[in-house]
Amino acid sequence: MARLHLKVVPSSSRDQIVGWLGKALKVKVKAPPEKGKANAAVIELIASKLNIPCESMSIISGETSPVKVIEIQGIDDHQLKQRIEEAMNSI
């Protein structure tokens, strides 16, 4: 199981993984921060870019905050960092 620290910017012009901001990955999503729309968009973006099923991810901290922690089942921290680097290199 891996944990990913995020800094989320909702209501952006597009969905994208921006890059590392300290120990957190900065992510922008088009969805507004209301009724869980931005959270769902973050999960979908991470899942599609890192080739991880949405069902294996859950927000364990920061549900209503721009600073979030996502727990990912079936992958370790090393594999997660590799997938993030591969995704960022393909941008």
Side-chain angles (χ1 to χ4, degrees), residues 8 31 33 35 39 42 52 55 60 72 80 82-83:
V8 178
K35 300 180 184 173
N39 287 342
V42 166
I52 298 170
E55 301 80 37
I60 61 169
I72 305 169
L80 177 62
Q82 280 183 319
R83 289 188 189 197

Side-chain angles (χ1 to χ4, degrees), residues 20-86:
W20 292 105
L21 186 64
K23 292 185 178 183
L25 188 64
K26 186 174 180 181
V27 176
K28 293 183 177 183
V29 292
K30 292 188 276 188
E34 56 189 36
K35 300 180 184 173
K37 291 178 184 177
N39 287 342
V42 166
I43 295 290
E44 288 176 29
L45 175 64
I46 298 295
S48 68
K49 295 292 185 184
L50 304 184
N51 196 26
I52 298 170
C54 290
E55 301 80 37
S56 67
M57 289 189 271
S58 59
I59 297 173
I60 61 169
S61 175
E63 189 96 10
T64 59
S65 167
V67 178
K68 303 182 184 304
V69 179
I70 295 180
E71 189 171 84
I72 305 169
Q73 300 292 327
I75 190 171
D76 64 28
D77 288 326
H78 179 70
Q79 292 169 321
L80 177 62
K81 288 192 190 288
Q82 280 183 319
R83 289 188 189 197
I84 292 168
E85 295 306 319
E86 288 169 8

